[in-house]
Every structure is written in structure tokens, then in C-alpha cells.
Amino acid sequence: SRLRNAIRSATPKIMSAVEPCCMVAPLMRQPRFSDCGYIHPKYALKLWGETLFTLVLRSFAHHNSEHRFIFVILADDERVITSFIRETCILCGIEWYSICVLAEMTQGQAETVTHALKELTDIDLSESLYIFNIDTFYKPALDLPVIESDGVLDCFKGHGDHWSFVSIGNDGRVITVAEKRRISDHCSTGLYGFGSAEIFLKGAALQKANNALVAGEFYVAPIFDLLIGLGYCFNARLLTGNEVFFSGTPLEYETLKKNKGAKRNYFAK
């Protein structure tokens, strides 16, 4: 199995039926950064006095004590990153989390999340599931989007062709989702919500069966489009450019470091 083991960390917490199930934040190597000469992994890079990982976890500070977080790492990084995750969770007030260790890289975020959900047998797959990454962070204490149907995507109006694009109807329902194909001005921030982990797994299984790779990877965003084809309904939440910050590439990261306006906006109440 690619998923070698699972580490259960932090003080165990009794999860009630009304609490959101979990948020998954995969931490993987980022060759785009190491190839550019960065010594530290991306999640440990400093920005505005914090690591990028800390900024990601503080994005939803309102929910840090009520969600179970799942972090996915590589076995080669286990010794160093486990203590880093533990210290950051304490700093951010996260009370319940698990670390899943992958023996090797997967073919993308969708496959990574699938492995983690199948390995952690104490997860209630009927509970809601939020998936996030370490490429993006929000203004502190922004509420998670409400899942009113089968799921939700956070979107913003962006430029360029390197995003997951979302076509949205006048009623706020998602019509189509396309990876790296500009079908609208609305781009996914990379925060995905599913009404249940079961819904995600159904879409991921269909994606795998169809070998629906994009640029050699199984992305999460196209799963929404597959599920829409099966009759599932998803909503979109629109955010402004002042609420979300991107650091997925060295250029984005360096731009943020120099952007005093973005820093002021981030810390503004």
C-alpha cells in the first residue's frame, strides 16, 4: 500500500454527529520551489512573520477547535515534518488531527485524499469533508463556506489560464468545472467542500475508472464536473481579491513578500 501508516496525534476528542468531519490539507514536496533554489520546503517558508503553513491553518481559526484535520506527508519527510505539524497545530489551536504517511508520491491531490480517507478507518464517511492545500490562505477567521447542497466551491475572479475554472448560474449553482481551461472568469481558490466524504469518494472512483488525468494528475476540481453529470448539485461562494492570497509558485510567494498592501489588508480587522 502506498499509504504506509497513519499517526493519530493530539488529545483525542469525542466527535459528535453535528460536528464537521474533517479538513484535509496535503503537504507534499514542491519541486517548483526546490528547483528555484529554495532550501526550506514551501510550507516552512516565512511570510509576514509566520510560516506559510501557519497562515493556511489560521485561515479558518473559527473552526480550528471543532474540525478534525488530516495532514498527508511523505515517508521521507516524516521525521522532520511530524514535529513541525504538531507545533503549528498547538500554535493555531487545533485540538484534533491525524497525520497520514505516504510511502511514495501519488498522481495528484484527489488520489492523495482518497488514500487518506480509506486508511483512517475511524472517519465517518457520511460527514462533510473540506479539502484545502498549502498554495492558498485566507484572511484570518474567515468562515468556512456553508454546504447547502452536495458541496461547495470557493471562487474569485482571476486572470490567467492556470486555474480551475467554474461556470456559475444566476442562482449560485455550479454549472461546469474545467481544469486549466478558461470557461469563465471565476476561478477556484482550492478550497473544496463535499456534503459527505462518500460523495467525494464516489467522484474520485469515477475519475480513476475513466483515467481522467489532467496534465498527468488527478485534480479535485474536475470531480465536481463528473458528479454534476450524475445529478449532484453544488453551490459556489464568491470571494473578493482582498480575502484570499496565493503562494503556490515562487513568483506568487515573492510577490506577496514585497506587497505591502496585501500585508496591510491581511492584518486589517
Side-chain angles (χ1 to χ4, degrees):
S1 171
R2 283 180 173 175
L3 201 54
R4 185 170 59 76
N5 59 21
I7 303 172
R8 199 178 188 192
S9 305
T11 304
K13 176 182 178 184
I14 298 174
M15 304 297 290
S16 74
V18 298
E19 288 177 330
C21 173
C22 56
M23 181 183 292
V24 180
L27 285 88
M28 295 296 181
R29 291 176 190 156
Q30 298 288 330
R32 285 179 295 190
F33 281 78
S34 58
D35 290 349
C36 288
Y38 290 85
I39 299 174
H40 298 293
K42 183 174 73 173
Y43 54 79
L45 292 176
K46 288 295 187 72
L47 178 67
W48 305 337
E50 304 281 8
T51 66
L52 288 179
F53 188 46
T54 299
L55 293 173
V56 169
L57 295 190
R58 282 189 170 154
S59 294
F60 311 103
H62 286 325
H63 306 278
N64 284 359
S65 63
E66 61 190 42
H67 278 66
R68 175 182 180 178
F69 284 70
I70 299 171
F71 305 108
V72 187
I73 65 174
L74 288 170
D76 291 347
D77 303 327
E78 182 179 358
R79 183 180 60 83
V80 174
I81 197 173
T82 299
S83 59
F84 176 81
I85 290 174
R86 182 180 299 113
E87 292 167 3
T88 307
C89 284
I90 293 172
L91 178 66
C92 295
I94 293 175
E95 299 177 8
W96 180 236
Y97 65 92
S98 299
I99 302 174
C100 288
V101 185
L102 286 172
E104 60 188 54
M105 290 287 288
T106 66
Q107 284 187 278
Q109 189 183 35
E111 189 175 58
T112 298
V113 175
T114 297
H115 280 303
L117 290 173
K118 290 181 176 179
E119 178 70 13
L120 294 171
T121 56
D122 60 335
I123 288 180
D124 183 351
L125 297 179
S126 68
E127 291 282 9
S128 58
L129 171 69
Y130 290 93
I131 301 172
F132 204 36
N133 55 51
I134 58 167
D135 292 343
T136 312
F137 60 94
Y138 287 12
K139 279 183 69 71
L142 188 72
D143 283 329
L144 281 168
V146 176
I147 299 176
E148 297 176 337
S149 52
D150 296 313
V152 63
L153 291 95
D154 266 1
C155 302
F156 71 103
K157 286 192 173 183
H159 303 284
D161 299 318
H162 59 296
W163 309 99
S164 303
F165 294 95
V166 184
S167 176
I168 305 170
N170 293 331
D171 58 356
R173 292 290 181 92
V174 175
I175 300 172
T176 311
V177 181
E179 189 69 37
K180 310 295 186 288
R181 185 164 56 89
R182 195 175 183 87
I183 58 173
S184 81
D185 291 335
H186 295 112
C187 312
S188 166
T189 67
L191 175 64
Y192 310 109
F194 292 88
S196 72
E198 290 171 334
I199 293 175
F200 165 79
L201 288 171
K202 184 173 184 177
L206 181 59
Q207 183 185 53
K208 186 80 170 179
N210 293 342
N211 197 34
L213 294 158
V214 178
E217 291 190 40
F218 290 112
Y219 288 91
V220 173
I223 288 176
F224 286 89
D225 209 47
L226 292 172
L227 290 170
I228 289 171
L230 296 179
Y232 287 87
C233 296
F234 302 99
N235 293 331
R237 180 175 73 163
L238 300 182
L239 300 176
T240 69
N242 293 327
E243 294 173 306
V244 60
F245 305 84
F246 299 98
S247 57
T249 67
L251 177 59
E252 288 175 336
Y253 170 66
E254 292 296 338
T255 299
L256 274 182
K257 283 176 65 177
K258 300 172 185 176
N259 191 333
K260 295 181 180 179
K263 181 178 179 180
R264 283 195 302 269
N265 176 56
Y266 176 81
F267 287 104
K269 300 296 184 182

